[in-house]
Amino acid sequence: SIGVVSIPFAAYGYWGIMTRLDEVQFLSRIAFSFMIFGLVAVMIAATLNGLVLTQFVQSYAQASDEVIASLKPIFAYNHVFNVANDYIYMSAVAVSTLCWSISILISRRLSSWLGYFGLLLVLIGVLSIVFGYIFTSVTGFSIFIFGSAAWTVAMGWSLRRSS
């Protein structure tokens, strides 16, 4: 639930990136829109997995093996729904990172290495998908989150230094 609570704070931080890169309004606003769309997908996935599914499973703690077996399609559906939200989030982050990185390189409002770093992350992501890497596994999603978090923290650090 702490992840769900942190989403509005992340959105506020991304709003700061958008406003800092206001010289390239179209790209910056498109990036922000995609990021918010991705954060909504993350919020839905986190709510279903972290809150709804947990309470649902707890209500069947004393259930028989037959009842538990009858719930497996629900768990499978939840997994597929979660993977779909993962794809929405990862795509939104990739589009946002691409747009903001181009905005950085055009506007020169922040260090250009951030723009190149973002482009590199997007390129690695695209090449990984082309060569069949699955980002929706636990390891793949962790790698994606690490790269995204590294870029976001670097952006926050750069924004703080530039203000």
Side-chain angles (χ1 to χ4, degrees):
S1 63
I2 193 165
V4 175
V5 172
S6 70
I7 290 172
F9 295 103
Y12 183 71
Y14 291 122
W15 177 78
I17 295 170
M18 180 192 70
T19 56
R20 181 71 174 137
L21 297 172
D22 60 355
E23 287 179 18
V24 191
Q25 284 185 3
F26 177 75
L27 278 177
S28 187
R29 289 179 181 177
I30 289 295
F32 181 72
S33 297
F34 270 94
M35 186 58 77
I36 295 303
F37 184 67
L39 289 175
V40 168
V42 164
M43 180 189 64
I44 291 169
T47 301
L48 284 177
N49 282 335
L51 301 173
V52 174
L53 189 63
T54 304
Q55 291 179 7
F56 181 76
V57 168
Q58 286 175 352
S59 68
Y60 287 95
Q62 305 300 324
S64 66
D65 290 341
E66 295 83 28
V67 171
I68 302 261
S70 71
L71 297 175
K72 288 190 183 207
I74 294 170
F75 299 144
Y77 175 81
N78 188 70
H79 174 73
V80 170
F81 189 80
N82 189 47
V83 168
N85 280 295
D86 290 349
Y87 280 125
I88 291 169
Y89 173 70
M90 290 185 292
S91 299
V93 169
V95 170
S96 294
T97 302
L98 177 65
C99 291
W100 273 323
S101 296
I102 293 169
S103 296
I104 290 168
L105 295 173
I106 290 172
S107 72
R108 304 261 185 225
R109 299 281 313 261
L110 297 170
S111 298
S112 58
W113 71 267
L114 281 168
Y116 291 119
F117 180 44
L119 292 177
L120 178 65
L121 287 174
V122 171
L123 179 65
I124 289 169
V126 169
L127 289 175
S128 298
I129 290 168
V130 167
F131 290 109
Y133 190 77
I134 307 293
F135 279 105
T136 57
S137 67
V138 173
T139 303
F141 197 70
S142 297
I143 291 169
F144 180 85
I145 292 297
F146 178 77
S148 174
W151 187 81
T152 301
V153 168
M155 284 293 288
W157 178 74
S158 183
L159 285 169
R160 184 75 174 136
R161 283 191 61 210
S162 69
S163 59

